[in-house]
Structures are given as structure tokens and as C-alpha cells.
Amino acid sequence: DTGVSQDPRHKITKRGQNVTFRCDPISEHNRLYWYRQTLGQGPEFLTYFQNEAQLEKSRLLSDRFSAERPKGSFSTLEIQRTEQGDSAMYLCASSPSYRGQGGFPYEQYFGPGTRLTVT
Amino acid sequence: AQTVTQSQPEMSVQEAETVTLSCTYDTSESDYYLFWYKQPPSRQMILVIRQEAYKQQNATENRFSVNFQKAAKSFSLKISDSQLGDAAMYFCAYPRIYDKIIFGKGTRLHILP
């Protein structure tokens, strides 16, 4: 396995359009996280899944945002009616639930991110 | 709620010199982990070093070491023999067990040739 992958790497969209990002975690990992990172800031938590169950959503995740992980493998993050304030890097990370599931359980393994620019 | 504070937005160090990045945190937990992540320009974030709070010995990974002061809630990162490839954003991070990671705002490290 080559690590966490995200697609696309860059997305430019016009205000009001919908966008969808995809994340493929490390295959052995059953936990998947989404973060948002704006310029000069650290990543901020958005939501996370254990298998297909979405266990927590941040207050940052307005009703225009929705995330899914339908079969407990890849995940999608959709933003509807994008606004300029949505411009950011969207990071995905995965982690194992226990040692031996591919890594250290408290560590999250990050993908390269999707950079969204809303014009 | 846990918080992580990095008070140095940017730092510069001469190549081959040593630099220390500061971090303070707050938690009511007695057992926890602390991480330093590195985010090179346009590249993904990777874990540099981790510290377990119940271990008094400071963690070391090659040229990277930490100074963990549990009572003071301080967790600094020391980079020895700085190399050009060390240029990156460095994030101090508090991983909540089986939960989100709380990140500081980061320190951008410049390496001067």
C-alpha cells in the first residue's frame, strides 16, 4: 500500500458550484478523518469515520458539507453551494484501531490534500 | 478541552546548526501522547516524533529530539545539524485517543544555506 491518496489535488470552482473530493485511506485502516487547513494555520478537524459509521462532526461542518464512507473504504467530502470562505486545503488521514493493523493507533497518516480555490 | 500553542510563527536557522521549536499544551489527562508533524511545501504531512506522557525519557529520532516537561506542559522540538530538507511547517499536535488530533498553528522553519 502506498499511503493515503486524495483526488483531485487541486480544484478551482466558481462560487455557488458543488464540489466533491475523494480520499482513499491505507487499506488496513478502519478510521478515516477529514481536516481543513487554511493558509498559515494548523489543520482543523471536520469529521471522522470508523468503518462506514460517521462518529463525529465538527461545528465547522455546516449543512453545506456532507461526508460519506459507504463501504468503509474510500470516503467522499462534498461541499454544496461553495463560498469563497471554503477556499482551503482539505486533508484526509487514516489510522488503525490497534497495533498490527498497519501502524500506530494514535497516529494519523495524512494524504497530500486537495487544495480548493473558490473564485 | 485540550489546546496546543505554538508561539513562533517563523524561525530561521543556518544549515548545520541546531534549532528549537517551542510548544505548550493544556490537558487534564494524565496519560496521553504528543506529536510533532512536518509538512514540507506542497507535500503531505508526516510524523517526525512522538512522546508518551508516562515516559520520562525524552524521545529521539536521529537528528530530532524533544524536551518534554510534563509539569510545565511544554513540548519543544530540537533539530540538530539542520539540513535544507528540514525546511517545512512544523506542527505540534495532541492526539485525542481514537479521536481527532488537535494541532497548533505551526512554525515555518527556514534553513539558510
Side-chain angles (χ1 to χ4, degrees):
Chain A
D1 192 284
T2 56
V4 179
S5 61
Q6 293 186 245
D7 184 69
R9 295 289 305 275
H10 303 274
K11 179 71 177 178
I12 299 174
T13 191
K14 293 185 177 179
R15 185 165 51 95
Q17 298 294 304
N18 299 345
V19 294
T20 300
F21 311 140
R22 175 178 170 125
C23 170
D24 286 88
I26 294 171
S27 57
E28 303 98 321
H29 293 178
N30 63 352
R31 291 176 177 262
L32 186 148
Y33 302 79
W34 285 99
Y35 292 84
R36 183 171 70 186
Q37 184 180 20
T38 53
L39 202 61
Q41 301 293 317
E44 294 175 293
F45 169 78
L46 292 178
T47 188
Y48 89 96
F49 294 83
Q50 179 168 319
N51 299 314
E52 64 275 12
Q54 188 173 18
L55 297 186
E56 186 177 349
K57 293 193 292 186
S58 161
R59 288 173 294 177
L60 293 174
L61 213 66
S62 75
D63 55 7
R64 295 185 298 106
F65 289 70
S66 63
E68 293 183 342
R69 194 182 183 198
K71 296 182 180 179
S73 56
F74 73 91
S75 175
T76 58
L77 178 67
E78 181 184 15
I79 309 175
Q80 296 182 329
R81 305 181 303 280
T82 52
E83 302 173 355
Q84 288 188 319
D86 297 331
S87 295
M89 176 77 84
Y90 289 85
L91 298 171
C92 176
S94 69
S95 72
S97 287
Y98 53 88
R99 292 180 192 266
Q101 202 185 30
F104 182 73
Y106 307 140
E107 179 182 347
Q108 293 177 19
Y109 299 78
F110 283 82
T114 294
R115 182 168 296 284
L116 173 66
T117 303
V118 182
T119 62
Chain B
Q2 294 86 2
T3 60
V4 177
T5 302
Q6 293 179 253
S7 57
Q8 304 155 314
E10 288 194 63
M11 293 191 73
S12 297
V13 63
Q14 209 74 35
E15 196 176 0
E17 297 293 307
T18 295
V19 64
T20 298
L21 281 55
S22 301
C23 172
T24 58
Y25 63 94
D26 191 26
T27 182
S28 58
E29 303 292 328
S30 58
D31 192 16
Y32 49 88
Y33 290 83
L34 291 165
F35 296 157
W36 278 97
Y37 273 95
K38 171 185 178 181
Q39 188 178 40
S42 301
R43 295 180 63 185
Q44 62 206 80
M45 194 141 42
I46 58 172
L47 185 70
V48 173
I49 197 166
R50 76 170 74 96
Q51 175 76 41
E52 299 175 73
Y54 70 87
K55 289 187 177 179
Q56 294 189 349
Q57 187 173 9
N58 289 323
T60 299
E61 289 286 344
N62 300 314
R63 298 181 297 105
F64 297 86
S65 62
V66 299
N67 183 6
F68 174 53
Q69 302 289 328
K70 190 174 183 180
K73 295 181 179 174
S74 169
F75 183 59
S76 60
L77 175 70
K78 185 171 82 171
I79 306 174
S80 304
D81 185 26
S82 298
Q83 301 175 0
L84 294 177
D86 295 333
M89 283 289 288
Y90 286 83
F91 294 99
C92 181
Y94 182 105
R96 289 172 43 143
I97 306 304
Y98 298 122
D99 200 335
K100 66 179 76 72
I101 292 179
I102 298 167
F103 290 89
K105 291 189 174 182
T107 297
R108 182 172 299 281
L109 180 63
H110 303 276
I111 310 296
L112 306 174

